[in-house]
Amino acid sequence: MVCLLLAVPAYAQGREGVPTLSGYMETHLNKEQNLPTEADMHRFVFMVGHSFSDRIKFWSEFEVEHAVVTGAGVSGEVGIEQAYVDLMLHRRFNLRAGVVLVPVGIVNERQEPPTFYGVERTFVDTVIVPTTWRDAGVGAFGDLGRGFSYRAYLLPGMDAAGFTAADGIAGGRQQGSRADASDPAVSGRLEYRRRGLTAAGSFWAGGSGFGLIRLDIETPTVTVGSLDARYRRGRHELRGQWVAVNIGGAGDLNRALQLQSGNSPNIASRLLGAYGEVATRVSPERWADEVVAFARYELFDTQNKMPAGFLPIQELQRSAMVIGATYFPDPDVAFKFDVSRERNKSEGIQGPWRLNFGVGWWF
Amino acid sequence: MMKLLIISLLLLGMPQAPSPKPQAPRVIRVSAERFAFTPSEIVVEQGTTIEFHLTSDDTDHGFRIIGTDVNAEIPKRRRGETVVKYVADTAGRFVIECSRPCGAGHTAMRATLVVK
């Protein structure tokens, strides 16, 4: 075999036996209406990888959130976001085991700050899809050809005792930390790619009742279904996502938790989120630096459908308009600005304005 | 002597056998984006000279064909392209992998080169 590299010499990183280091960081300045202005080193993430061989790979992600970690849990947190080993068997079928990212939506698996517009992750990917959503599990992934690929995992379920009206299922994540696996879950993603377009359907489905074992109710079940797409052509980019979370047995769950704590958590039987985003590179073609302007409309309703006998908290039936811009002095460095206006269905409580500045980078 | 001269002139005057034309390389454009190559499967005939034109839609990536000497860096978005020439003279399936850490799904960023 003969090969000739015309432009660039062989690249040395990531070769067998040499661990690799990469990471991303983001620092924000947030001003929310009626709240103090806040400066925050939101995320500081190191990624370490290693190739045992061409067939066996290790990847990990270690994160510090909010700069300082204190024992009282009032400040930041340290976490393992990913730590898995891949066993490459065949193009169509490979195995993965360890702590993995749940493959639902766009942002949960693509978290590097230069990959999304807006200082903060979308509301949908915060309130409805609880990023960063990960757990210890095992699964398979592969390339099916004709642009299709998949990931499918077996994971522990959620703890429904942690669900809330405002934050949905976020409090039920076990994050691979001594996770109770008595109620297993399955999650998967089927993705289609062609030049400029990525479209996918993804899901998570499982039981979530182990935290309620002493209560005489049927195990609540959770199913999350999502569709998402990204399309880039020239200087323009479109992005959209739709996600629904269904909680089976939400009525019994509310009644059981009320018996425990005295208050009904008013958990919905369906949460709904969706957003559409348009972005355009507004800087001249001849500039190496890029300036991208974007606008996004989001719907994030954690009280979309209530179980019989419960009324929605209208303040939590939310939507938001976000507009902003990102300056890329390098494709891996993003200076961001956005302003958002949140609205809700409540007649008495107005959603806040938010003004955000941030810088994020990847290396 | 005259005979030798005539034969030489005749030989010089004969049309020369055409020398084999070098085969034009087959240009294959591959774009890289976290965490996939597009296209993810490339099929060529054995003996094909391939000219890979490699670009990225985001950060820099690596383009390594396992089992060969090819291991090139793909520059970041709008920073140009890498051109790699490769003579596919061995039949088989070759795994192409990203050899430059690029994020959360880096280890699964692979494609296949099929040489028939």
Side-chain angles (χ1 to χ4, degrees):
Chain A
M1 290 200 179
V2 180
C3 81
L4 174 66
L5 304 185
L6 293 180
V8 182
Y11 204 66
Q13 286 195 49
R15 69 181 188 273
E16 229 171 90
V18 181
T20 58
L21 177 67
S22 54
Y24 68 85
M25 290 89 202
E26 52 187 344
T27 301
H28 301 161
L29 183 72
N30 308 105
K31 171 61 187 167
E32 182 174 321
Q33 192 179 8
N34 301 325
L35 289 177
T37 304
E38 183 178 90
D40 183 31
M41 176 88 207
H42 197 150
R43 294 184 178 90
F44 187 95
V45 179
F46 276 129
M47 296 178 173
V48 178
H50 179 70
S51 283
F52 295 96
S53 70
D54 287 334
R55 290 182 58 222
I56 307 171
K57 313 274 185 183
F58 159 71
W59 190 256
S60 67
E61 196 173 330
F62 178 82
E63 177 176 60
V64 178
E65 283 196 2
H66 307 300
V68 174
V69 179
T70 60
V74 293
S75 192
E77 64 178 56
V78 174
I80 303 294
E81 295 213 329
Q82 297 187 86
Y84 60 76
V85 170
D86 282 346
L87 180 58
M88 306 296 190
L89 299 173
H90 187 272
R91 177 187 168 210
R92 292 177 203 264
F93 184 80
N94 306 283
L95 293 176
R96 174 171 291 172
V99 175
V100 299
L101 295 174
V102 173
V104 170
I106 297 175
V107 169
N108 202 48
E109 292 187 300
R110 295 170 55 84
Q111 311 163 359
E112 299 76 13
T115 65
F116 60 88
Y117 299 118
V119 174
E120 303 290 348
R121 296 175 182 175
T122 67
F123 291 108
V124 170
D125 287 306
T126 307
V127 174
I128 308 295
V129 179
T131 66
T132 302
W133 189 7
R134 75 274 192 181
D135 220 322
V138 61
F141 64 95
D143 180 2
L144 301 172
R146 298 182 184 272
F148 287 95
S149 61
Y150 76 95
R151 293 178 280 292
Y153 302 130
L154 181 64
L155 303 159
M158 294 185 125
D159 181 2
F163 296 172
T164 64
D167 296 324
I169 58 175
R173 294 170 299 174
Q174 299 200 72
Q175 313 285 48
S177 174
R178 295 182 171 179
D180 190 318
S182 8
D183 290 334
V186 289
S187 182
R189 179 176 178 85
L190 180 65
E191 196 167 275
Y192 173 73
R193 279 181 186 252
R194 57 177 296 176
R195 200 168 287 267
L197 172 70
T198 304
S202 52
F203 74 96
W204 186 100
S208 57
F210 64 85
L212 311 163
I213 203 142
R214 291 180 190 165
L215 302 175
D216 188 22
I217 62 170
E218 280 196 27
T219 297
T221 55
V222 177
T223 55
V224 181
S226 177
L227 297 170
D228 62 74
R230 296 180 289 122
Y231 180 66
R232 182 198 294 261
R233 184 171 179 142
R235 55 175 63 229
H236 307 297
E237 190 176 338
L238 296 171
R239 185 180 288 219
Q241 182 172 314
W242 172 90
V243 57
V245 178
N246 287 291
I247 302 171
D252 284 349
L253 177 61
N254 282 327
R255 283 184 279 273
L257 292 175
Q258 185 167 13
L259 285 176
Q260 272 191 334
S261 68
N263 294 314
S264 166
N266 214 52
I267 297 160
S269 52
R270 184 172 66 211
L271 293 67
L272 191 67
Y275 72 82
E277 179 184 275
V278 57
T280 301
R281 177 162 44 83
V282 294
S283 50
E285 189 64 36
R286 64 181 183 281
W287 287 14
D289 297 8
E290 298 168 299
V291 179
V292 177
F294 77 95
R296 182 171 65 236
Y297 178 76
E298 296 195 53
L299 173 72
F300 51 110
D301 181 352
T302 53
Q303 301 273 281
N304 185 252
K305 185 178 176 189
M306 299 305 296
F310 294 85
L311 292 173
I313 302 170
Q314 291 178 318
E315 181 192 344
L316 300 177
Q317 297 183 297
R318 292 162 283 183
S319 64
M321 187 72 205
V322 186
I323 58 170
T326 302
Y327 166 57
F328 294 96
D330 181 285
D332 288 335
V333 180
F335 288 88
K336 300 178 173 185
F337 157 77
D338 67 60
V339 57
S340 70
R341 176 62 197 266
E342 187 180 313
R343 295 184 187 279
N344 61 56
K345 290 188 176 172
S346 164
E347 289 179 2
I349 302 171
Q350 264 201 339
W353 285 93
R354 292 185 183 87
L355 190 62
N356 300 311
F357 296 88
V359 58
W361 60 94
W362 153 266
F363 66 92
Chain B
M1 185 66 185
M2 183 59 78
K3 275 184 182 172
L4 189 62
L5 187 62
I6 290 166
I7 291 168
S8 301
L9 286 172
L10 283 172
L11 282 174
L12 282 172
M14 280 176 67
Q16 297 282 315
S19 56
K21 245 187 175 176
Q23 187 196 25
R26 181 174 161 193
V27 173
I28 295 175
R29 298 185 189 281
V30 177
S31 68
E33 189 200 26
R34 294 179 173 100
F35 303 97
F37 293 105
T38 306
S40 65
E41 185 179 56
I42 298 156
V43 182
V44 298
E45 295 292 328
Q46 189 174 3
T48 304
T49 299
I50 307 171
E51 195 173 281
F52 290 108
H53 289 239
L54 310 170
T55 55
S56 169
D57 287 335
D58 45 35
T59 188
D60 44 6
H61 294 275
F63 183 86
R64 177 180 174 231
I65 306 177
I66 294 175
T68 76
D69 295 333
V70 174
N71 188 4
E73 182 187 355
I74 307 174
K76 296 175 185 179
R77 177 180 71 226
R78 299 181 69 236
R79 298 290 197 270
E81 67 176 9
T82 296
V83 179
V84 176
K85 265 194 177 174
Y86 174 73
V87 179
D89 57 3
T90 303
R93 298 178 74 88
F94 298 87
V95 174
I96 300 168
E97 68 170 13
C98 177
S99 54
R100 199 296 188 198
C102 60
H106 164 69
T107 54
M109 185 167 167
R110 290 186 152 203
T112 307
L113 171 66
V114 181
V115 181
K116 294 203 285 191

